[in-house]
Amino acid sequence: MAAAAECDVVMAATEPELLDDEEAKREAETFKEQGNAYYAKKDYNEAYNYYTKAIDMCPKNASYYGNRAATLMMLGRFREALGDAQQSVRLDDSFVRGHLREGKCHLSLGNAMAACRSFQRALELDHKNAQAQQEFKNANAVMEYEKIAETDFEKRDFRKAGAQWPTANLHLPDSSDSSDSPVSATLGLQVVFCMDRALEFAPACHRFKILKAECLAMLGRYPEAQSVASDILRMDSTNADALYVRGLCLYYEDCIEKAVQFFVQALRMAPDHEKACIACRNAKALKAKKEDGNKAFKEGNYKLAYELYTEALGIDPNNIKTNAKLYCNRGTVNSKLRKLDDAIEDCTNAVKLDDTYIKAYLRRAQCYMDTEQYEEAVRDYEKVYQTEKTKEHKQLLKNAQLELKKSKRKDYYKILGVDKNASEDEIKKAYRKRALMHHPDRHSGASAEVQKEEEKKFKEVGEAFTILSDPKKKTRYDSGQDLDEEGMNMGDFDPNNIFKAFFGGPGGFSFEASGPGSFFFQFG
């Protein structure tokens, strides 16, 4: 009897355990079916919950992990999905969908090489699987895009055009369409293009996003770069690369103090972050040199200011906006030193870097005015006035247009050979000298061509004296008024009358030859 009781006990202990296991499997299948229903409705959070219940009931079922991995992928939680997919193929290495999902997660996270291995395994199990074939091609394309982008970015020569591509199947942008500006150049655009294409297959890859964002910053597309970095920081506020890119954008927008704060924060997260370290050092050096140059300028030490601005320009050629200001500042120094051609060149460099830089246009326009290059000055002032329609800019444009108008008339001061501030006596002396020099009688023995030229000059000298010897006419001439409209039409002007009136005498004036090639003059 005792033996029989022991046997019953044993049987009672094992039979319910077998029944519980079968019940668990049925319950797990029920949870899976419910999960499938929610997945079909695109309610992925509920689907996730039911697949998790199925796994809790039956943790050795590969398909449950595969289904939960698919759900996590739809939720954008690729790293968690990767763990489930890997568990599914550990439980069942012949699970083709498991390998496909593992590969898809690797690819979404930017690990194209690992993705290729997963897709290759799926093809080994089912060589006709169309999805595996396509995904394998996608993974190889991503590796190609990544290789090209990283190679071009490392060159950091965004001014160079016409890069050679290793494959014709990627349909990369034509280098002939790129700009020649210092920042918007072919290689930079190609890096962005490659990363955009790669991110179509690897949307969760922070590395690709950072490379794209850094390149956008180098190209001066700061809002786009900031947006990419901010998206990453929303998911991971301690991402040193994203912090670095935020700082880089501020640095290139000449917000150097704020930029340094981001670089320092990035270095706190990753003390060995080489790019943040270099950028932080450059930002501090640039700020110091610029401030020292400004101080020297304010103190009137223009030579030192020039040297400091020049040193600052050598710190970082990629900082376009700050360098534009440095060129303009150095141009101002050169104008103070009366090196006007150098000042114009510096201002030209400034507007090449930043074609919206009003201060540089104004500085260059003033230098053009000072060097009597009025057409160039008018062009710059027109650019300024189109951008900022202020009364001051309108007046500057009007003044330049007036000087241009005046410069196109005969320069009577130049004809007489006197300064614009010449006195009445100086104007009379100049007329006497030039009138005698060009009088037709003095050249009566010359060729017809010479006589004609000297007669023209004689007439111009008379015109100049008529205008500059009359205070009212001279004032109107100096102010740039239209002399013809003021009743001073010189078309019927007779220079001989001016000559006779100036030299006087009833007998007039005549030239007599005093020997070969020489003349003297006498009054009658």
Side-chain angles (χ1 to χ4, degrees):
M1 292 290 293
E6 287 181 15
C7 186
D8 290 341
V9 171
V10 171
M11 291 179 64
T14 57
E15 189 172 353
E17 182 177 342
L18 292 173
L19 290 173
D20 289 345
D21 187 52
E22 289 298 324
E23 182 66 28
K25 287 181 180 180
R26 285 194 296 271
E27 193 168 350
E29 278 297 306
T30 301
F31 287 141
K32 186 193 82 167
E33 293 302 324
Q34 289 176 298
N36 289 348
Y38 281 113
Y39 187 94
K41 295 177 184 178
K42 298 184 180 181
D43 188 344
Y44 302 117
N45 286 311
E46 277 303 307
Y48 171 83
N49 291 333
Y50 278 99
Y51 289 139
T52 299
K53 290 178 181 179
I55 289 171
D56 291 341
M57 296 300 297
C58 192
K60 300 295 184 182
N61 189 305
S63 68
Y64 298 166
Y65 286 98
N67 285 4
R68 192 169 72 173
T71 304
L72 287 166
M73 290 168 66
M74 296 307 296
L75 291 169
R77 294 156 62 179
F78 292 101
R79 201 161 295 281
E80 296 173 72
L82 176 61
D84 275 354
Q86 288 173 327
Q87 179 64 12
S88 74
V89 296
R90 276 195 291 268
L91 292 170
D92 181 4
D93 186 53
S94 65
F95 185 27
V96 175
R97 287 187 180 180
H99 288 292
L100 286 172
R101 286 164 184 156
E102 180 187 7
K104 190 71 175 175
C105 288
H106 278 308
L107 188 56
S108 296
L109 292 166
N111 192 346
M113 188 174 292
C116 281
R117 289 196 294 266
S118 296
F119 297 136
Q120 186 66 49
R121 177 58 181 150
L123 287 169
E124 289 172 2
L125 295 168
D126 180 6
H127 69 278
K128 292 183 179 180
N129 190 297
Q131 184 184 354
Q133 291 171 353
Q134 184 58 53
E135 294 292 1
F136 185 74
K137 289 180 181 179
N138 293 345
N140 276 289
V142 168
M143 284 195 291
E144 192 79 355
Y145 283 126
E146 182 180 7
K147 178 182 175 182
I148 293 168
E150 289 182 347
T151 299
D152 287 341
F153 187 81
E154 284 304 314
K155 292 177 183 177
R156 298 297 177 90
D157 184 8
F158 287 176
R159 305 178 186 209
K160 181 179 177 182
Q164 298 298 314
W165 300 99
T167 175
N169 297 324
L170 297 182
H171 306 294
L172 295 161
D174 183 359
S175 62
S176 64
D177 294 336
S178 64
S179 167
D180 291 329
S181 73
V183 286
S184 180
T186 305
L187 290 185
L189 294 173
Q190 288 165 347
V191 172
V192 173
F193 176 87
C194 286
M195 288 298 91
D196 278 339
R197 300 292 78 75
L199 284 165
E200 289 176 4
F201 304 111
C205 181
H206 286 182
R207 188 175 75 259
F208 292 171
K209 290 179 181 179
I210 289 296
L211 184 59
K212 175 187 174 181
E214 188 173 353
C215 193
L216 286 169
M218 296 288 285
L219 291 168
R221 292 160 61 176
Y222 307 120
E224 295 172 75
Q226 290 271 28
S227 177
V228 175
S230 295
D231 286 344
I232 295 173
L233 289 171
R234 274 193 289 271
M235 294 180 282
D236 178 10
S237 62
T238 64
N239 189 295
D241 289 324
L243 290 168
Y244 160 71
V245 170
R246 287 288 304 274
L248 196 65
C249 291
L250 291 166
Y251 172 61
Y252 285 148
E253 290 184 289
D254 198 40
C255 300
I256 295 181
E257 286 188 23
K258 289 183 179 179
V260 169
Q261 293 174 10
F262 274 96
F263 294 144
V264 169
Q265 193 176 351
L267 289 168
R268 285 200 194 102
M269 299 299 109
D272 296 329
H273 199 293
E274 185 178 359
K275 291 179 181 178
C277 184
I278 293 171
C280 191
R281 184 170 64 245
N282 285 346
K284 289 179 178 179
L286 203 53
K287 180 175 181 289
K289 287 290 183 185
K290 184 181 176 183
E291 289 177 351
D292 289 345
N294 293 346
K295 181 181 178 184
F297 179 82
K298 289 177 181 178
E299 293 174 351
N301 192 342
Y302 302 130
K303 183 178 179 181
L304 178 59
Y306 177 90
E307 292 173 356
L308 289 167
Y309 289 140
T310 301
E311 290 174 11
L313 282 165
I315 292 173
D316 184 1
N318 288 317
N319 194 321
I320 303 304
K321 203 158 189 177
T322 301
N323 287 345
K325 292 182 179 180
L326 289 169
Y327 271 120
C328 187
N329 287 0
R330 196 173 72 173
T332 304
V333 171
N334 276 322
S335 69
K336 291 290 185 180
L337 295 171
R338 304 311 297 167
K339 296 180 179 180
L340 298 179
D341 288 339
D342 290 342
I344 289 171
E345 183 179 353
D346 277 340
C347 292
T348 298
N349 286 330
V351 297
K352 280 181 179 179
L353 295 180
D354 182 1
D355 63 0
T356 66
Y357 193 11
I358 296 299
K359 188 176 179 181
Y361 283 109
L362 289 170
R363 172 58 56 193
R364 186 172 69 174
Q366 184 57 56
C367 291
Y368 280 139
M369 293 288 286
D370 292 342
T371 53
E372 298 184 1
Q373 299 180 65
Y374 300 120
E375 288 187 5
E376 290 82 357
V378 167
R379 186 174 62 246
D380 277 355
Y381 283 132
E382 283 177 341
K383 170 76 173 179
V384 170
Y385 185 63
Q386 287 170 3
T387 306
E388 294 182 0
K389 296 184 182 297
T390 67
K391 289 183 179 179
E392 181 185 359
H393 294 160
K394 185 177 182 180
Q395 187 59 49
L396 288 169
L397 174 59
K398 187 177 179 181
N399 292 344
Q401 289 170 332
L402 175 61
E403 291 302 322
L404 176 60
K405 178 183 175 183
K406 288 163 63 177
S407 72
K408 292 183 180 297
R409 302 176 311 167
K410 291 179 181 179
D411 188 340
Y412 290 141
Y413 291 102
K414 186 175 181 180
I415 289 170
L416 289 182
V418 297
D419 184 78
K420 291 183 178 181
N421 297 317
S423 65
E424 185 178 345
D425 286 342
E426 288 172 331
I427 290 171
K428 287 181 178 179
K429 288 179 182 178
Y431 171 71
R432 179 184 180 86
K433 178 181 176 181
R434 300 271 171 155
L436 293 174
M437 184 185 300
H438 299 297
H439 195 284
D441 288 350
R442 184 169 185 172
H443 303 282
S444 57
S447 66
E449 184 178 350
V450 171
Q451 287 185 37
K452 185 176 181 180
E453 181 64 24
E454 292 299 326
E455 185 177 345
K456 176 184 176 184
K457 291 180 179 178
F458 179 69
K459 184 176 180 180
E460 287 178 344
V461 167
E463 288 179 14
F465 181 70
T466 299
I467 299 301
L468 300 184
S469 62
D470 185 316
K472 290 184 179 179
K473 291 179 180 179
K474 182 177 183 296
T475 298
R476 288 198 292 270
Y477 174 79
D478 289 342
S479 66
Q481 296 179 39
D482 190 321
L483 301 184
D484 286 345
E485 291 181 1
E486 291 294 327
M488 295 187 292
N489 192 320
M490 309 298 287
D492 299 328
F493 169 77
D494 185 351
N496 290 304
N497 292 336
I498 299 297
F499 187 86
K500 290 175 183 178
F502 182 85
F503 285 99
F509 177 89
S510 66
F511 283 92
E512 297 289 346
S514 61
S518 63
F519 294 86
F520 69 91
F521 57 88
Q522 65 179 27
F523 293 94

